[in-house]
Amino acid sequence: MRRLFLSLTACLVVFVGASLLGLILSAPPAALVSSLASPEIRFAILLSLGTGLLSTFICIALAVPIAYSLARYDFPGKRVATLALTLPLTLPPLVAGIALLLFFGTTPWGRILEEAGFAVVFTPLGIVVAQVFVNLPYLIRILRSSFVAINPRFEHVAKTLGCTEAGTFLQVTLPMARPGLVAGTIITWSKAMGEFGAVLMLAGATPMRTETLPLALFLNISTGDLNMAIAAATILILISLITLIAVDGIDRDIVVF
Amino acid sequence: MLRIESLTTSLGDFSVRDISLEVRDNEYFVILGPTGAGKSVLIETIAGIHFPSSGRIVLDGRDVTRTAPWSRPVGMVYQDYMLFPHLDVGENIAFGLRQRRVPAARRREQVIEICGLLEIDHLLGRSPGSLSGGEQQRVALARALVLEPKVLLLDEPLSALDGPTRERMRAELSRVRRLTGTAVLHITHHFEDVFALADRIAIMRDGRIVQVGETGDVFLHPADRFVAEFLGIGNIIRGRSERFGSVVRITTTSGVTFSAASGTLGEVVATFHAEDVILSGAPFASSARNCLEGEVLGVVPCGSTIQVRLDVGFPLTALLTRESCHDLALSPGVRIFATFKASAVHLIPVGS
């Protein structure tokens, strides 16, 4: 059994490695370098990193309190709330995207936002909104199970030791939820970098305006510019690799790979 | 020190109803009750984790019924210790001092002092996960006691420990209480915990207190069948204890004497389990110090075992297997010898 399982693992490692490496090496190196230096790819890198950072930050800020209330508090409609927050998980991002497009594009709320200077449809802000909408449910789920796993008695003891409610949360609950928080952040960040469907629907695919790396890949492959597409893909692979190595280096307690 | 007046708290399936009791200065008070009696809800309410729906909690002369837990002078130690896993032992103990913004130098002094008291100096830099149960228990105690609480609340502090550690911890609790002078409220479902610790006990059932009193009184005069069965000791004998070599000798009111491995002198209630009594047709030489002759009064089947009631000058109950009972041909009127070890006998002093 051991031999069978190990050889299966080895096969998969070789396959994943070969396909990713093959992708990077399929373009002539000189062409790859010039594509990477092109203004379009440089723009896409910056836009992806910027929107990804912002949406990850917003996801954490929202998911921490929401996940905690789902884990700890009892309130009417808790099951419905949990369902509503879980549903986007199982939806194709394209569906989430079109729902967002209709919400921001055709309702009075969308118009009010637009007049206030926060236009969402077909704008870079739309990228952030789409990423948050798709990724937030994942982060809430991960954090909720982290919080559920912490015995509330830790919080009780902290309070008898003089910690206020907020102090308990910051000094006991959050540090104890750290592994989930780190893992959730990595997943949110990586998914934000790669988000395609929802971003395409809500923010469109305007070159040099809402063109993130996945969209650059898509636009260039549809126009037949294979080298540019490979350049975008190479950058995405590099970002994933750096993310995993950085987290592993920063946090010894958390096993990333 | 701590006075609870008609306290009622509901929390899901658990509730406490109309509880009134008082823990006096310096007192070690034990609340005994089966699992699910609402004991944890009670002490968490005293700590301020839950607010009662009615009743009052008065602590050190101050009404704290609606006071936030972080402003109450109570310490709490749970059965499973709840040491913060992301902090080392020293940081765990200093946690409360840090909340009070005690300067670092003073904090260190206080941590070292309490660690000396509990003999855990050597554990300071360790992580809680690497400690044994008994060590974790001491650290949890130190973490609570370093704040000098008026009342220390203990939730089943001995239940998670194995035999010898339990025994050591019991002695430790009694010593710590003597040294710090903190009033202690200890909840447990093990009646063994009351020996050598409790000044007074309360028996709790279904969210209510069914009996409160001096430990000896409660054992001697259980308020009802539930208390009697819950204490379930089998043998409860009133007598007078006197030193006799390395043990004590108890003379019962009827004049029969037997030995107990204990240091308690004077008027006592002696208790021992029915399982600890051995019956034999003739007196036999053994390491057990007590061998009394008596007459069988009754033989009552009790599940897979048989309860044998004897008169050895006082009523005595023994628990036997069906086979032994058959081999000894026990029936009412038969003369028999009852043997039990001096170390099986627990003594509870009776207040004069």
Side-chain angles (χ1 to χ4, degrees), chain A residues 181-213:
Chain A
L181 200 57
V182 173
T185 306
I186 301 170
I187 291 175
T188 307
W189 163 254
S190 310
K191 281 175 53 65
M193 284 289 100
E195 184 49 45
F196 177 72
V199 172
L200 177 70
M201 280 288 159
L202 186 61
T206 321
M208 299 298 285
R209 177 163 160 78
T210 59
E211 189 183 6
T212 59
L213 284 167

Side-chain angles (χ1 to χ4, degrees), chain A residues 151-165 167-168 171-173 175-176, chain B residues 40 44 47 49 69-70 74 76 78 80 82-86 95-96 99 143-144 147 155:
Chain A
N151 192 331
R153 289 180 166 190
F154 282 109
E155 297 168 357
H156 298 171
V157 167
K159 288 180 192 167
T160 67
L161 293 171
C163 240
T164 60
E165 200 108 31
T168 302
Q171 294 179 56
V172 174
T173 318
M176 285 183 69
Chain B
S40 290
E44 286 179 353
I49 305 303
W70 47 89
V74 300
M76 183 155 67
Y78 278 114
D80 24 16
M82 296 295 143
L83 297 178
F84 303 128
H86 58 292
F95 188 87
Q99 306 307 318
R143 184 175 63 175
L147 296 176
D155 178 4

